[in-house]
Amino acid sequence: MQAKVLRVLEYEKMKEQLYEHVASSLGRAKIKSLVPSVDINEIKQWQQETYEGAKVIRLKGQAPLGGIFDISASVKRAQIGASLNASELLEVQSTTFGARRLKKFIEDLLENEVDIPHLESIVEQIVPLTDLEREITQCIGDHGEVLDSASSELRGIRQQIRSLEAGVRSKLESITRSSNSQKMLSDAIVTIRNDRFVVPVKQEYRGAFGGIIHDQSSSGATLFIEPEAVVTMNNQLREAKVREIKEIERILYVLTSRVAEYVEELLGNIEALSQLDFIFTKARYSERVKAVQPKLNDEGYLSLTKARHPLIPIDEVVPIDVDLGKTFSSLIITGPNTGGKTVTLKTIGLLTLMAQSGLHVPAEEGSEMAVFKTVFADIGDEQSIEQSLSTFSSHMVNIVEILKKLDHESLVLFDELGAGTDPTEGAALAIAILDDVYRRGARVVATTHYSELKGYAYNREGAMNASVEFNVETLRPTYRLLIGVPGRSNAFAISRRLGLDEHVIELAKSQINSETNQVEQMIASLEESKKSSDAEWEEAVTLRKEAEQLRNDLVKRLEGLEKEKEAILEEAEQKAEEAVRKAKREAEQVIEELRKLQKESHEIKDHKLIEAKKRLEEATPTLKAKKKQEKVKKAYRKELKPGDEVKVLSFGQKGHIVEKISEQEYQVQVGIMKMKVSADDIQAIDQPKKVETKSFATVRGNDFHVKPELDLRGERFEEAMLKVEKYLDDALLAGYHSVSIIHGKGTGALRKGVKELLKRHPHVKNARDANMNEGGLGNTVVDFK
């Protein structure tokens, strides 16, 4: 890409925003060298890396990139034998630690099954250098000082230095505290000159102390003298400090040699860290501008939904929708100045460059970007005083260069094409340039004032008109891009709003031919139609989203009900199995008791024991609910017809028959959903009533299945009362003289309601609380008349 195009499309300004999110000089260097790629596979990889970085930030908030430095120069100096200072070694240690920490961070995400394959391949290149890191940490402090722990020799030297310093200070302080010496001193303090301990002595007493004069005050009244009594100790101190410096130099050289042993690993780590810093920088920038990963193609097709220019504040920018490259390859944007045409051009161009740089674009999900081999732009006033070129001439110089280089893999952006010269000639020239660009297969977006180009887009295949909406009421552009609608000047409407007399406006209108008026009226009609269709489209999209949400909620609810049903059935089966196991245990206990009786008395024979056990096994409860349900389904399947209320068994939901598709399939509506349901999965809700016969004996037969007790526990009050009334009738028909109604103790409301109902029943002779071994107050025994 040409440097001039990057500048015109404000690519460098966008990179300045990237710098705000970089963590180290490594990432900054990557940003500085960033340019758009033209290799679609490379761009897809970059885009995926940014996506993975954004995923990590979304999950963890940030990545640990602190303490990382560009140590490549230090490492290369160590490689050639130079000695690194303590600060450089500290940067090596900090970067080594940062690399190990970042590697662990990514590996923890991978262990949690976060899918980030590109980041995984990068951190695999990082080699933890724990030994080197530990050695430097042991020798160099957090502020770049060499620690006593670096070597036993250094520790001994520094202990000697501290001892000598204490001795010198003690000797000099005794001098300063002496009453004889205080009158000779300018101040009773111990200070340092030329790295030696001295005392400030008045000029007139210079010979009283002997020793060495190291300095004097600016007035000359005070001399800084090293007394003869401490000269020897100061010499010893100076020698110890020289040995300290040499030992420190030796330690730094040894550490530098250790760094030189890991040159390849360190340089590899630096490269991996620079890539990771750059990826997370792009990801944080993506989060800032609310960008998304675009789809990519190499077919010249561009589709942006609610695209925003990243350099305009997000609360001020107006999103635009743009399509280019499928049904048309030339987009002609017409309309007045300050309408936002240039911003639209720059948005298209900059987002293209961002996408080809591996950056996400500030637009809605589903936006698609084309990968262009070249991007050309002629935008803004390029007038050059030095070259004595007019605005028109300067634009033409750029256009000539563009026409020499463009091809079918180019994106071309023209701002105010043909402007700066005679309108008629300028319009003709603009049309000729657009025809040439179209014929060569490039994608072009052009802005213009010329009304002739409105007709151009209508008359040329592959060209489309567009305009930026203008609000006549506020006299301000809305910056909304209207595809398919050419712009109009709005000069008369604006003049009217600003107070120009109506007769002047009418006089002006009379100067325009009828064809121009018809075009303006047609454009106005198109704008209204566009607004109406956009509003209807947005409403349709909203309704569709609401319907999808409603459907999803219903599906989730149905799934929840199905799970709840399965849980209830599973619980019921478990209870039934427990009942079976309990019955078998009781049977075994009975058999055991019988065997004991047999041992005590020989009257009970083995065949009687076998018969007793068989009778007990036959009494074991069995589950036949599903078979009964299946019988009901088969019995009433053929009677279903449209409008019948049914229950879809697999969903556990009620609905009604819409139509019968075949003998084995029906269309059923459940709520807002219509579905095809197998006949085996349907149960009629209105079941046929049992056929009653006048034969009391038949009703009381073995098939009637009325139990001698009714269990109401867990039932609601109203439903319980209905069940009691029905049960009393069934029990009477079955011929029972006495039954039990189990209602539990609870709050006592159910017990009280049962008692009241039994008092009113005409066939109840007596109702009493059961004995303690029968359930006590939780059970009521009913005797019939």
Side-chain angles (χ1 to χ4, degrees):
M1 301 293 174
Q2 295 178 335
K4 181 180 179 181
V5 172
L6 300 181
R7 176 179 56 79
V8 167
L9 293 177
E10 300 175 304
Y11 184 78
E12 294 300 325
K13 289 184 179 179
M14 181 275 300
K15 284 168 65 172
E16 289 295 329
Q17 290 185 336
L18 273 177
Y19 285 128
E20 298 174 14
H21 302 278
V22 74
S24 71
S25 57
L26 294 171
R28 180 173 287 273
K30 282 282 188 182
I31 295 171
K32 186 175 181 180
S33 61
L34 178 65
V35 290
S37 172
V38 296
D39 183 344
I40 188 169
N41 294 321
E42 183 178 46
I43 295 169
K44 285 181 177 179
Q45 179 180 329
W46 290 355
Q47 286 285 346
Q48 189 61 27
E49 289 173 352
T50 306
Y51 170 77
E52 291 179 12
K55 179 190 286 188
V56 171
I57 290 175
R58 188 170 63 252
L59 293 174
K60 293 295 184 179
Q62 60 181 357
L65 287 161
I68 294 173
F69 301 92
D70 184 2
I71 59 173
S72 54
S74 299
V75 173
K76 291 176 181 176
R77 285 179 53 233
Q79 187 180 21
I80 62 175
S83 182
L84 303 181
N85 60 40
S87 297
E88 291 172 324
L89 287 167
L90 186 61
E91 288 186 353
V92 172
Q93 181 272 336
S94 179
T95 303
T96 304
F97 169 73
R100 180 168 58 85
R101 179 178 57 183
L102 187 56
K103 181 181 180 72
K104 178 68 166 55
F105 174 77
I106 299 297
E107 287 176 345
D108 288 345
L109 288 171
L110 293 169
E111 288 179 3
N112 292 325
E113 298 184 352
V114 178
D115 186 25
I116 43 176
H118 290 86
L119 294 182
E120 180 181 7
S121 65
I122 294 174
V123 298
E124 285 177 352
Q125 303 169 24
I126 296 177
V127 180
L129 302 173
T130 311
D131 291 342
L132 177 62
E133 179 190 336
R134 183 175 60 252
E135 289 176 25
I136 298 176
T137 303
Q138 183 180 354
C139 297
I140 310 295
D142 293 338
H143 302 290
E145 73 280 10
V146 179
L147 302 174
D148 292 358
S149 58
S151 73
S152 58
E153 179 70 18
L154 181 62
R155 184 183 297 108
I157 292 172
R158 285 182 171 174
Q159 286 176 351
Q160 183 184 8
I161 289 173
R162 286 190 287 268
S163 176
L164 288 169
E165 285 179 343
V168 172
R169 281 184 175 277
S170 177
K171 187 70 174 175
L172 291 177
E173 285 173 357
S174 68
I175 293 174
T176 60
R177 287 195 298 269
S178 170
S179 57
N180 293 328
S181 300
Q182 285 183 353
K183 65 180 181 180
M184 292 183 282
L185 299 176
S186 298
D187 199 354
I189 62 171
V190 176
T191 185
I192 296 175
R193 288 293 185 276
N194 297 328
D195 204 26
R196 297 175 78 91
F197 287 97
V198 297
V199 291
V201 180
K202 294 178 182 177
Q203 174 72 28
E204 57 269 27
Y205 299 107
R206 61 185 299 174
F209 290 92
I212 303 170
I213 299 173
H214 286 281
D215 198 4
Q216 67 177 5
S217 65
S218 57
S219 64
T222 300
L223 300 176
F224 295 95
I225 298 176
E226 179 186 355
E228 188 175 356
V230 297
V231 169
T232 301
M233 295 176 67
N234 264 333
N235 287 340
Q236 292 174 344
L237 180 60
R238 186 66 178 268
E239 290 172 1
K241 288 186 176 180
V242 170
R243 291 201 308 273
E244 179 191 25
I245 291 171
K246 289 183 177 179
E247 179 62 15
I248 288 175
E249 289 176 350
R250 186 192 70 81
I251 292 168
L252 295 178
Y253 183 77
V254 170
L255 290 175
T256 302
S257 299
R258 291 288 289 155
V259 171
E261 294 176 13
Y262 298 103
V263 169
E264 292 185 6
E265 292 85 349
L266 286 167
L267 292 177
N269 288 355
I270 292 168
E271 178 58 29
L273 289 173
S274 65
Q275 290 183 51
L276 291 170
D277 188 7
F278 180 51
I279 288 170
F280 286 116
T281 297
K282 293 189 294 180
R284 285 189 289 269
Y285 181 66
S286 176
E287 184 181 41
R288 167 182 165 177
V289 299
K290 301 187 184 305
V292 300
Q293 181 180 6
K295 300 176 184 177
L296 295 172
N297 69 80
D298 54 1
E299 300 173 358
Y301 172 56
L302 181 149
S303 176
L304 291 169
T305 304
K306 298 190 181 304
R308 306 177 303 277
H309 196 290
L311 301 183
I312 302 176
I314 198 167
D315 56 342
E316 297 178 13
V317 65
V318 178
I320 61 172
D321 296 341
V322 181
D323 278 288
L324 180 69
K326 273 198 173 178
T327 57
F328 55 90
S329 59
S330 301
L331 186 63
I332 315 302
I333 307 175
T334 53
N337 281 332
T338 69
K341 300 192 302 296
T342 302
V343 172
T344 298
L345 277 186
K346 288 186 174 182
T347 300
I348 296 170
L350 182 56
L351 265 57
T352 297
L353 298 179
M354 287 175 63
Q356 294 186 209
S357 301
L359 295 166
H360 290 177
V361 297
E364 291 292 314
E365 291 285 353
S367 294
E368 187 166 357
M369 303 295 297
V371 175
F372 295 102
K373 298 298 183 184
T374 50
V375 176
F376 299 103
D378 178 56
I379 299 175
D381 188 357
E382 296 291 333
Q383 184 172 355
S384 173
I385 297 175
E386 292 180 1
Q387 298 179 15
S388 301
L389 295 176
S390 66
T391 300
F392 175 76
S393 299
S394 180
H395 278 294
M396 286 309 302
V397 168
N398 289 336
I399 292 170
V400 168
E401 289 299 314
I402 290 171
L403 293 178
K404 287 179 181 178
K405 298 175 182 177
L406 68 83
D407 58 20
H408 66 284
E409 295 181 306
S410 300
L411 172 65
V412 186
L413 306 172
F414 289 131
D415 189 26
E416 299 299 346
L417 184 60
T421 186
D422 177 75
T424 303
E425 293 180 354
L429 194 58
I431 291 172
I433 292 170
L434 290 173
D435 278 342
D436 184 59
V437 173
Y438 174 75
R439 185 176 64 255
R440 293 160 69 176
R443 304 296 186 263
V444 60
V445 183
T447 67
T448 181
H449 280 301
Y450 298 136
S451 59
E452 287 85 351
L453 267 72
K454 301 174 187 177
Y456 169 84
Y458 280 111
N459 297 327
R460 295 295 197 282
E461 182 182 356
M464 177 63 70
N465 271 314
S467 61
V468 180
E469 189 179 50
F470 190 89
N471 190 327
V472 179
E473 298 297 322
T474 61
L475 302 182
R476 293 177 63 85
T478 67
Y479 300 105
R480 289 182 61 244
L481 185 66
L482 304 177
I483 302 291
V485 179
R488 52 193 179 114
S489 66
N490 297 301
F492 296 144
I494 293 172
S495 300
R496 184 179 289 107
R497 288 284 296 166
L498 294 176
L500 186 64
D501 288 343
E502 189 65 31
H503 76 276
V504 178
I505 294 173
E506 292 300 325
L507 182 62
K509 285 183 177 180
S510 66
Q511 305 301 316
I512 299 176
N513 59 45
S514 60
E515 291 183 0
T516 303
N517 277 326
Q518 289 176 0
V519 169
E520 289 295 320
Q521 291 173 4
M522 177 193 69
I523 293 173
S525 175
L526 282 172
E527 285 184 356
E528 291 300 321
S529 299
K530 178 69 173 174
K531 289 180 184 178
S532 176
S533 64
D534 286 347
E536 291 177 359
W537 174 258
E538 290 179 2
E539 183 180 1
V541 169
T542 301
L543 291 174
R544 179 178 61 80
K545 289 181 178 178
E546 290 177 356
E548 287 179 353
Q549 184 62 42
L550 184 62
R551 180 185 179 277
N552 292 336
D553 291 344
L554 183 57
V555 169
K556 288 180 181 178
R557 183 181 174 190
L558 292 175
E559 290 175 353
L561 290 172
E562 181 65 19
K563 290 179 180 178
E564 185 178 349
K565 184 187 79 171
E566 290 176 358
I568 292 171
L569 288 174
E570 184 177 353
E571 182 181 0
E573 289 179 357
Q574 290 175 354
K575 288 182 178 179
E577 290 174 359
E578 180 60 30
V580 171
R581 287 194 293 269
K582 182 179 178 182
K584 287 185 177 180
R585 286 196 300 269
E586 291 176 355
E588 294 296 336
Q589 290 175 2
V590 171
I591 297 298
E592 187 62 28
E593 291 175 2
L594 289 173
R595 290 191 183 278
K596 287 181 180 178
L597 290 172
Q598 184 184 28
K599 290 179 180 179
E600 295 172 359
S601 173
H602 297 287
E603 294 179 0
I604 302 176
K605 304 298 182 182
D606 284 339
H607 71 277
K608 291 185 177 181
L609 292 173
I610 295 170
E611 289 176 359
K613 186 171 183 179
K614 184 177 181 181
R615 288 198 302 273
L616 287 170
E617 288 177 346
E618 290 174 351
T620 300
T622 57
L623 299 174
K624 298 182 179 179
K626 291 184 179 179
K627 291 183 179 180
K628 289 182 179 179
Q629 187 184 67
E630 188 66 25
K631 289 179 181 179
V632 171
K633 287 191 290 184
K634 290 180 179 179
Y636 301 108
R637 182 189 303 163
K638 62 183 181 180
E639 299 177 8
L640 295 177
K641 58 184 182 296
D644 285 355
E645 295 291 326
V646 294
K647 181 178 181 181
V648 180
L649 299 173
S650 59
F651 283 93
Q653 295 294 306
K654 295 180 180 179
H656 65 270
I657 301 294
V658 177
E659 66 173 314
K660 181 177 181 181
I661 299 173
S662 67
E663 291 296 331
Q664 298 298 324
E665 195 172 34
Y666 291 85
Q667 187 179 46
V668 180
Q669 181 159 353
V670 179
I672 63 170
M673 293 192 303
K674 290 183 180 180
M675 60 184 77
K676 293 180 181 180
V677 183
S678 171
D680 293 337
D681 197 21
I682 299 173
Q683 179 181 349
I685 291 177
D686 297 325
Q687 299 290 346
K689 297 180 180 179
K690 292 183 179 179
V691 179
E692 296 184 359
T693 66
K694 295 181 180 180
S695 173
F696 190 78
T698 304
V699 174
R700 291 177 56 188
N702 293 333
D703 293 334
F704 194 71
H705 297 302
V706 177
K707 294 182 179 180
E709 76 268 354
L710 173 64
D711 192 347
L712 298 176
R713 287 173 295 185
E715 297 286 344
R716 293 188 177 183
F717 184 87
E718 293 80 7
E719 294 175 356
M721 295 303 102
L722 292 173
K723 285 190 174 183
V724 171
E725 289 181 352
K726 185 177 184 303
Y727 174 73
L728 292 175
D729 294 338
D730 292 341
L732 284 167
L733 290 173
Y736 288 121
H737 298 290
S738 177
V739 294
S740 296
I741 300 178
I742 304 170
H743 42 67
K745 298 177 183 179
T747 61
L750 195 57
R751 175 176 175 270
K752 184 178 179 181
V754 170
K755 296 285 190 183
E756 291 293 329
L757 189 149
L758 293 173
K759 286 180 182 179
R760 300 193 303 269
H761 200 283
H763 296 288
V764 173
K765 178 180 179 182
N766 181 41
R768 62 178 176 82
D769 293 330
N771 297 327
M772 292 305 295
N773 60 347
E774 296 176 327
L777 296 177
N779 183 13
T780 297
V781 179
V782 181
D783 297 324
F784 293 111
K785 295 179 181 178

